[in-house]
Amino acid sequence: MRFSINCWQAATRVRRSTRAGCSISLKKALTERALNAEMDHHLASDDSTGNTRNGYGRKTVMTDTGKLELDVPRDREASFDPQLIPKYQRRFPGFDEKIVSMYARGMSTREITGHLQELYGIEVSPDLISTVTDAVLDEVAAWQQRPLDAVYPLVFFDAIRVKIRDEGMVRNKAIHIALGVRADGGKEVLGLWLEQNEGAKFWLRVMNELKNRGVEDILLAVVDGLKGFPDAITAVFPDATVQTCIVHLLRNSMDFVTAMLSYGQVNVRNGSWSCKGHLASLLPQCR
């Protein structure tokens, strides 16, 4: 059986879903975990006795990809003032990429701490950053190890670019993503991985991780044109159908044509084209 899908729309939706809809739960969970760690730090350092938690208040902030509703912890003396998102702050620019990247397997504790320091600013104490980092690491580890569904009709494998502070410098790094579509049509980020050297061995490791977390079968996997990628998928999920995304195919074709133009192998005049050299012997249209 052969599947065919509209990858023009799908490739765009992968990135949109990761940064927006599918990442809302990730951003909410990590932010609320950090705020609760702040409350723990506040109560532990509070000089007054008898101050305790007093439920939660609802707050809506605007991030780069839309609204985010948060449950912010409160204390009985109303002395808690969150540092991550102050009481009267309603906008949080530059927030989405840092939160999504912190979920990626391969992020070091130092890199996560660096993200949190950027989010909080230089005014907060090292003790607070340490407390929040410990809480965030627990949240990230639980998400990375959570069990997955047995079958996913459709899984997109792609990458997004995010800015990560590395050794004092901000670098653009690739975070690889597995975005699954469940039988009910809902989308779920199965995992995020920070890997500089993308290759078949890396993706084979990813497939084994998905299998160990409960995935038994993938019906259709949509991938880019990386050599060995389909073999890595079928080595773990032998019944999966692998389809190369048309967006990647067209992009690679345009790169090829551009290269041929630059080397003088292809001539385009008045809406028609011709080629010469070795390329002419390969393409019937050139003869």
Side-chain angles (χ1 to χ4, degrees):
M1 177 180 291
R2 180 170 180 82
F3 296 88
S4 180
I5 62 175
N6 189 335
C7 287
W8 285 99
Q9 297 175 359
T12 301
R13 287 174 181 173
V14 169
R15 292 176 173 83
R16 287 179 178 174
S17 296
T18 306
R19 296 178 184 273
C22 281
S23 63
I24 288 176
S25 59
L26 308 186
K27 293 182 288 187
K28 178 179 173 63
L30 202 64
T31 305
E32 290 179 350
R33 189 67 180 263
L35 291 172
N36 277 290
E38 277 195 54
M39 175 61 81
D40 292 338
H41 183 270
H42 171 71
L43 294 176
S45 59
D46 196 349
D47 295 332
S48 62
T49 59
N51 191 17
T52 59
R53 287 175 173 266
N54 187 29
Y56 293 85
R58 181 62 60 89
K59 179 172 184 174
T60 301
V61 296
M62 289 296 299
T63 69
D64 296 329
T65 53
K67 294 181 180 179
L68 180 65
E69 291 191 355
L70 300 171
D71 293 323
V72 181
R74 299 181 302 192
D75 61 334
R76 293 194 176 277
E77 296 182 358
S79 58
F80 176 58
D81 187 8
Q83 300 297 304
L84 180 61
I85 305 177
K87 286 183 178 180
Y88 302 106
Q89 181 174 333
R90 296 295 176 185
R91 301 191 64 84
F92 208 154
F95 174 75
D96 293 37
E97 283 191 348
K98 291 184 175 63
I99 293 296
V100 170
S101 63
M102 278 193 278
Y103 277 100
R105 188 178 295 279
M107 283 282 287
S108 66
T109 301
R110 183 184 63 188
E111 288 171 329
I112 290 178
T113 301
H115 271 338
L116 290 169
Q117 286 174 334
E118 289 183 3
L119 289 171
Y120 275 94
I122 61 175
E123 296 84 3
V124 299
S125 68
D127 287 343
L128 175 59
I129 291 294
S130 177
T131 300
V132 174
T133 299
D134 290 341
V136 165
L137 288 173
D138 290 342
E139 177 68 30
V140 168
W143 183 82
Q144 290 174 342
Q145 298 165 12
R146 77 195 190 284
L148 300 173
D149 290 352
V151 178
Y152 287 91
L154 177 62
V155 179
F156 295 96
F157 296 98
D158 204 351
I160 57 176
R161 287 278 174 180
V162 298
K163 290 181 172 57
I164 296 177
R165 183 170 293 278
D166 182 17
E167 297 180 352
M169 298 182 64
V170 177
R171 307 177 189 274
N172 281 319
K173 293 190 176 183
I175 291 185
H176 304 281
I177 173 177
L179 178 67
V181 179
R182 299 187 296 268
D184 62 2
K187 296 185 289 291
E188 176 186 0
V189 178
L190 308 183
L192 298 163
W193 297 267
L194 181 66
E195 181 72 26
Q196 289 302 105
N197 300 316
E198 181 188 12
K201 289 184 178 179
F202 159 69
W203 284 113
L204 180 62
R205 189 169 74 245
V206 169
M207 299 306 141
N208 282 311
E209 179 183 325
L210 295 178
K211 189 175 184 67
N212 291 336
R213 290 167 58 196
V215 180
E216 297 176 5
D217 196 11
I218 295 173
L219 301 187
L220 176 62
V222 180
V223 303
D224 59 17
L226 178 68
K227 184 179 180 180
F229 201 165
D231 293 336
I233 296 174
T234 55
V236 181
F237 303 106
D239 295 328
T241 298
V242 182
Q243 177 173 308
T244 303
C245 179
I246 188 100
V247 172
H248 290 94
L249 286 175
L250 291 176
R251 185 184 301 155
N252 293 338
S253 298
M254 292 306 297
D255 289 343
F256 175 76
V257 171
T258 301
M260 292 300 99
L261 285 170
S262 65
Y263 283 107
Q265 297 292 305
V266 176
N267 296 319
V268 180
R269 291 181 181 176
N270 300 323
S272 61
W273 61 279
S274 61
C275 45
K276 58 183 180 180
H278 179 60
L279 190 61
S281 65
L282 297 177
L283 298 180
Q285 295 91 332
C286 295
R287 297 172 185 170

